[in-house]
Amino acid sequence: MNADGIIIHVNPLQEWAQVEGDRYKRSAIETIRKVCDQTNYPVIVKEVGQGMGPQSLKALLDSPIAAIELAGYGGTNFSILEQRRKLGDEIENKTPAAAFGYIGHTAEQMVEYLNALQKVQKSDIEVIVSGGIKDPVTGYILKEKLEMNAVIGMAGTVLKYAMGDYEELQSYLHETKGCVSMAKACIKRDL
């Protein structure tokens, strides 16, 4: 295999919401650790749609992964998308399970959880802050609040421009770069 690393998506609610979804036979952390034991590639763990609480994040910090992506609640919610695919736009009125699409942890909450964990046990795991980040300034602020090495991800927003005219995408990326430069100059770490 010719790869730079492996990204494991942890998505139990999305799978549960899919008619054809996989059902977990063991805990996600058990599977992640097994993959880490059997590969020499860096492993990134990304939860899609609902985020991770303090216990899950601690378990990841205690594992031999290279990075965590905080793709939490507030970004693309695959649990809701799967329920809509199955039940239509009126999912709220059709099933008690619809409530699962509206719970989770935001990127901001996960930054707070990770900071609290860092005070107890230092970790050098890298972080991608991406869940629900719609603009570079918000992303920069969360990145600066986090007491770990981090980068910002805004795939959903960038993809909107990537689907259109190339010049619009180029203009958007240029403006984004300018916003990050301005944020670096004006927004200090002690937010």
Side-chain angles (χ1 to χ4, degrees), residues 68 70 106-112 114-115 118 125-133 135-154 176 179-181 183-185 187-191:
I68 301 170
L70 307 180
T106 64
E108 185 168 13
Q109 289 170 320
M110 290 186 287
V111 163
E112 291 172 14
L114 285 170
N115 283 343
Q118 274 293 89
I125 290 176
E126 304 282 331
V127 179
I128 303 165
V129 181
S130 67
I133 307 300
D135 65 86
V137 176
T138 301
Y140 180 80
I141 289 170
L142 287 177
K143 175 188 171 300
E144 287 300 297
K145 281 184 178 180
L146 184 60
E147 295 171 9
M148 300 172 78
N149 290 331
V151 296
I152 305 163
M154 299 185 339
T176 297
C179 287
V180 171
S181 294
K184 282 180 181 178
I187 300 173
K188 301 302 172 205
R189 188 171 192 84
D190 59 344
L191 302 167

Side-chain angles (χ1 to χ4, degrees), residues 10 12 22-24 41 50 52 54 70 88 102 116 120 144 170 178:
V10 180
D22 293 327
R23 301 301 182 253
Y24 287 91
Y41 291 105
Q50 275 30 73
M52 295 173 269
L70 307 180
Y102 299 95
V120 176
E144 287 300 297
Q170 193 173 26

Side-chain angles (χ1 to χ4, degrees), residues 2 11 16 42-43 47 54 69 80 98 106 130 138 178:
N2 213 2
N11 56 354
W16 181 74
V43 174
E47 196 286 333
E69 183 167 353
I80 291 175
T106 64
S130 67
T138 301

